[in-house]
Amino acid sequence: QVQLVESGGGLVQAGGSLMLSCAASGIIFSINAMGWYRQAPGKQRELVASITKGGSTNYADSVKGRFTISGDNAKNTVYLQMNSLKPEDTAVYYCNAKTFTRPIGYWGQGTQVTVSS
């Protein structure tokens, strides 16, 4: 199994920045991709950004140019740098780690991000 612990959420004003971290432990050698998802009240969970083991990244159109996903293999940690935050970015952000044997991935507990206008 893979365990994920997120940190870095909080309250920020529109235009501000936050960085989320996701530390992985367990069978980390089996991870082939990690990503950040978010879920706002009354909405479905959506992909925000993902990064493969090889370093390829993918972003939702709504965050392109504002968010950056990166990984530190030595620390088994993935980061999400969020700049120019908007009120519509308010959501619970979840870290996800996919493996070959578990394509739906493992989930962290989530961290709240609130952007005030």
Side-chain angles (χ1 to χ4, degrees):
Q1 284 200 343
V2 175
Q3 293 79 43
L4 303 171
V5 178
E6 301 114 330
S7 60
L11 173 64
V12 65
Q13 288 188 331
S17 298
L18 282 174
M19 187 171 75
L20 306 182
S21 300
C22 173
S25 60
I27 312 175
I28 56 176
F29 67 86
S30 64
I31 296 173
N32 54 46
M34 294 186 70
W36 288 96
Y37 291 70
R38 67 186 181 188
Q39 187 166 19
K43 294 188 176 181
Q44 288 188 332
R45 192 172 297 189
E46 62 175 0
L47 175 68
V48 176
S50 64
I51 184 166
T52 68
K53 197 171 185 177
S56 297
T57 58
N58 182 48
Y59 296 92
D61 288 341
S62 59
V63 307
K64 282 181 181 176
R66 300 189 297 123
F67 291 11
T68 303
I69 189 169
S70 62
D72 185 334
N73 290 332
K75 295 182 179 180
N76 302 317
T77 301
V78 170
Y79 305 96
L80 184 68
Q81 177 65 46
M82 304 185 293
N83 298 327
S84 303
L85 282 160
K86 304 175 181 179
E88 51 264 43
D89 294 318
T90 295
V92 178
Y93 283 69
Y94 296 91
C95 182
N96 177 274
K98 298 188 190 303
T99 68
F100 290 109
T101 58
R102 191 180 170 96
I104 64 170
Y106 296 88
W107 293 96
Q109 81 285 359
T111 185
Q112 177 71 47
V113 172
T114 302
V115 184
S116 63
S117 57

